[in-house]
Amino acid sequence: MSAFKIESCFGADINVGYFDVEEILDIMKIKSQVLGSKRIKSLIRMHGKKDRIVGIAMRQVAFEVLRTSLDEAFLPYDPYFNDGTLLNSRRERLYDAQERFLILCMSLVAGRSVRSLKKLNPGLSTKDLRSKHGRGQSLFRYFRQELNEQTREQVLSYKARMNNNMEGADGEAKLTEEMAAEQKARAALMKKAPKDTRFIPTSFDDEVVTGLKIFRDGHELLAQQVESFKRGQQLDVEALKKFCRRLIDSHTRNNFAVMALRHIKDADTYLEQHAIGMAVLGIHFAKAMQLNNAYVEVISLGALLFDLGRFRLPAAMMAKTTKMTDGEFELFRKHIQFGEQILQKCESVPKAVFQMLYDHHEKVDGSGYPEGKQGQEISVYGKIAAIIDAYDAITSEQAHKPSMGPIKACAKLEREAGLAFDKDLIKVFLKSIGPVPVGSCVSLSNGRIGFVLTLNKNFQPNLVRQVYSITSKAFIEATDIELNKSANLKSDVVIEEGVDPQDYGLQFINHIS
């Protein structure tokens, strides 16, 4: 059986209109290898070719076949590449083959046709995928983990179905000898492994992969909920709670990854992303306050929902790049009332969520709105909401203003302690994110500029992703450096100061994954 060659994808027609696993395998010329594997043959005998689990297994086996090719080095991303031109050189033909190959892999992971992927993501690019190898990351692991996330629910459903079949009195649909052996081996491993794997710590890069999927799902869920309440329907509170639990699990595995992903925002869909960003900050804040899981879930749900009323404001007003007029600001204030109308139609919304909605624009000195509450008149949930709302807003790129940056944002919040924000709560929040938070742009003593990815136990920067050379005044291949690891030969590298990424044409969102 011949090994797969990426060059076989050169010039292939990948823009099919619907998703068909076999067609993709045929384009890659690995269809016979996948269908000929013992696992796929066994599943087809048991369930037939059209069963959903067979399609998922075929995608899994496909990546096993492609593993060696995925872990090879790829040519650097070329933003000027045009597959519509005549490709004369071997390098151009190889780049074309790699481009089609990587996009087909994206299609296999997403379970969508290439045409559908491009429609959903007009800026679809292989830039990040091509750079992963240079950062020592495995594309095989990336794609398999992403596929696992995409198909988790279907696989769990299949396992439940098989367990029910095995327990039947007649022993119907028994596993084949091969499948039974596989299940026995897995069961033996599970006895040694923790019962719940959701909370096993992961690396920053691995959790970013999972987190991106969670964020995309959250964005889609919020968009659906907005359409629902605009039609006068209730929110799906249970689905929203389930999403918050996924965020909490991700934060538990690697809190730095989701705190970094919070920075990814598009001006066109800012409100959805702002809501998810606040949910992440709410989780982080609640854990810093050492609250139990029930409170963490409630605060994350409230953070996700308390700004929903803004979706009822005129889109043109929310997207304008100039300061609001007095009339527009008066209308803006009504988003609290609009949010209340949305939540009142729903069942099972915790009281704390309403308190976060009512009080997130109140200030402890009484200068806030809608009621001008002071000090203890403001609920603790409202005080929490005010802090995470402000921090996420001022560290985000918006249509009317750029990000202030995490370091300057911390200084601003600290200055407003006792005025806009509760002094004690601000102290807890700022300690939990550190004086140089995740996402901060810093200059290093080795002459490079980088972004802080993780913190150590003392809340000081630990892992920094270097992306720019001050010496050569040029972008560099992203490389991570651990600042406080004594075994590191470059352990003498230290942070010199925080810098404005815009001075160097940098944005954190372009370097997270």
Side-chain angles (χ1 to χ4, degrees):
M1 192 177 290
S2 59
F4 169 77
K5 299 288 186 184
I6 290 180
E7 289 88 339
S8 65
C9 293
F10 170 66
D13 180 10
I14 63 175
N15 290 300
V16 292
Y18 57 94
F19 180 74
D20 185 329
V21 178
E22 289 193 48
E23 185 168 1
I24 293 175
L25 301 181
D26 214 14
I27 292 171
M28 292 180 161
K29 298 181 173 57
I30 60 170
K31 181 177 176 180
S32 60
Q33 288 176 261
V34 173
L35 291 178
S37 74
K38 290 182 180 180
R39 181 183 174 199
I40 300 303
K41 282 182 177 179
S42 178
L43 284 171
I44 290 175
R45 283 197 301 269
M46 290 169 61
H47 307 297
K49 230 180 192 183
K50 294 183 179 180
D51 194 287
R52 180 180 293 180
I53 197 65
V54 175
I56 291 173
M58 286 169 67
R59 290 152 70 188
Q60 293 173 343
V61 172
F63 281 114
E64 294 291 343
V65 173
L66 302 171
R67 183 173 194 156
T68 302
S69 298
L70 283 168
D71 285 339
E72 292 177 358
F74 286 82
L75 292 172
Y77 176 69
D78 180 1
Y80 303 106
F81 173 74
N82 183 355
D83 60 5
T85 60
L86 187 62
L87 306 175
N88 296 315
S89 70
R90 183 180 183 280
R91 180 185 173 87
E92 288 175 326
R93 291 194 294 272
L94 176 58
Y95 188 94
D96 175 89
Q98 290 179 350
E99 190 76 359
R100 295 171 194 270
F101 169 64
L102 290 173
I103 291 174
L104 285 173
C105 287
M106 293 185 205
S107 176
L108 279 175
V109 164
R112 293 180 179 274
S113 69
V114 172
R115 191 182 301 174
S116 174
L117 280 180
K118 289 181 176 178
K119 187 176 180 180
L120 288 170
N121 305 284
L124 188 70
S125 160
T126 62
K127 181 179 179 181
D128 289 341
L129 294 175
R130 289 177 180 274
S131 67
K132 283 184 184 296
H133 187 275
R135 299 204 299 267
Q137 297 177 40
S138 164
L139 275 184
F140 167 75
R141 284 183 61 203
Y142 167 80
F143 280 128
R144 272 309 309 264
Q145 188 168 353
E146 186 75 359
L147 178 61
N148 289 345
E149 282 297 316
Q150 292 277 0
T151 59
R152 187 184 304 278
E153 294 300 324
Q154 296 98 310
V155 171
L156 290 175
S157 175
Y158 168 73
K159 287 181 177 178
R161 170 160 57 103
M162 291 307 297
N163 286 337
N164 289 337
N165 287 340
M166 287 295 290
E167 291 170 4
D170 299 328
E172 291 181 2
K174 287 185 178 180
L175 295 173
T176 62
E177 185 176 337
E178 177 191 348
M179 291 294 288
E182 182 180 347
Q183 186 180 32
K184 185 177 181 181
R186 287 176 187 247
L189 287 173
M190 288 301 292
K191 286 181 181 178
K192 298 178 182 179
K195 290 184 179 180
D196 194 339
T197 60
R198 291 177 301 159
F199 310 127
I200 297 176
T202 55
S203 70
F204 179 90
D205 285 330
D206 285 347
E207 195 58 40
V208 161
V209 174
T210 303
L212 281 170
K213 170 66 168 57
I214 296 173
F215 274 53
R216 286 196 296 268
D217 289 348
H219 182 277
E220 186 176 334
L221 174 63
L222 283 175
Q224 292 169 352
Q225 298 307 302
V226 170
E227 288 303 312
S228 293
F229 72 64
K230 283 183 177 179
R231 292 195 298 266
Q233 299 171 357
Q234 291 185 9
L235 297 176
D236 187 343
V237 177
E238 288 308 312
L240 292 163
K241 288 180 179 178
K242 182 178 179 182
F243 169 70
C244 287
R245 285 193 286 270
R246 290 178 66 193
L247 277 181
I248 294 167
D249 292 348
S250 182
H251 184 278
T252 302
R253 290 189 295 268
N254 191 311
N255 67 83
F256 304 114
V258 284
M259 289 291 278
L261 289 172
R262 179 192 66 80
H263 289 268
I264 296 181
K265 290 186 175 66
D266 180 346
D268 293 336
T269 53
Y270 170 77
L271 290 181
E272 291 95 331
Q273 293 160 337
H274 177 50
I276 296 171
M278 290 192 297
V280 170
L281 290 173
I283 292 164
H284 193 81
F285 199 175
K287 287 186 176 182
M289 295 171 68
Q290 300 182 345
L291 301 177
N292 66 33
N293 290 340
Y295 284 103
V296 176
E297 288 189 16
V298 167
I299 289 171
S300 63
L301 179 66
L304 189 70
L305 300 181
F306 72 68
D307 244 359
L308 276 187
R310 292 177 65 175
F311 286 96
R312 282 196 165 159
L313 298 172
M317 187 182 95
M318 296 309 300
K320 69 179 296 188
T321 57
T322 55
K323 187 178 179 181
M324 288 185 189
T325 64
D326 290 343
E328 286 172 334
F329 187 62
E330 280 303 310
L331 177 58
F332 177 81
R333 287 185 171 200
K334 291 186 178 179
H335 77 273
I336 296 175
Q337 178 184 338
F338 296 151
E340 181 181 21
Q341 292 169 355
I342 294 166
L343 294 182
Q344 283 181 337
K345 289 183 178 180
C346 305
E347 298 177 357
S348 305
V349 177
K351 181 181 178 181
V353 176
F354 282 96
Q355 290 177 320
M356 293 176 81
L357 165 68
Y358 296 146
D359 292 348
H360 72 277
H361 282 297
E362 299 287 3
K363 298 182 179 181
V364 293
D365 66 357
S367 64
Y369 66 88
E371 296 183 16
K373 294 180 181 178
Q374 294 182 358
Q376 297 305 312
E377 294 175 338
I378 306 171
S379 68
V380 66
Y381 296 104
K383 292 174 180 177
I384 290 171
I387 293 170
I388 61 177
D389 184 22
Y391 184 75
D392 190 74
I394 60 181
T395 55
S396 299
E397 299 285 340
Q398 298 188 52
H400 64 285
K401 66 178 181 66
S403 165
M404 180 181 291
I407 298 175
K408 289 182 180 178
C410 286
K412 180 177 174 61
L413 263 60
E414 192 167 24
R415 286 195 303 270
E416 296 187 9
L419 300 173
F421 310 114
D422 182 279
K423 285 183 178 180
D424 294 331
L425 289 176
I426 273 290
K427 190 180 296 184
V428 173
F429 178 75
L430 292 179
K431 181 182 177 182
S432 75
I433 61 174
V436 185
V438 169
S440 298
C441 189
V442 295
S443 64
L444 302 172
S445 57
N446 62 2
R448 294 180 173 182
I449 300 291
F451 289 98
V452 176
L453 299 185
T454 69
L455 308 178
N456 62 23
K457 291 180 180 179
N458 296 319
F459 305 102
Q460 296 296 323
N462 180 16
L463 196 66
V464 175
R465 182 156 291 168
Q466 306 168 106
V467 297
Y468 186 88
S469 170
I470 301 174
T471 308
S472 59
K473 296 182 180 179
F475 295 99
I476 59 174
E477 182 72 24
T479 54
D480 296 345
I481 184 169
E482 202 165 351
L483 299 184
N484 58 348
K485 187 176 181 181
S486 58
N488 192 334
L489 296 177
K490 298 180 180 179
S491 59
D492 57 330
V493 175
V494 296
I495 290 175
E496 293 191 329
E497 61 180 344
V499 298
D500 189 340
Q502 296 173 38
D503 292 344
Y504 300 91
L506 301 172
Q507 274 191 308
F508 182 42
I509 61 175
N510 296 327
H511 304 284
I512 295 174
S513 62

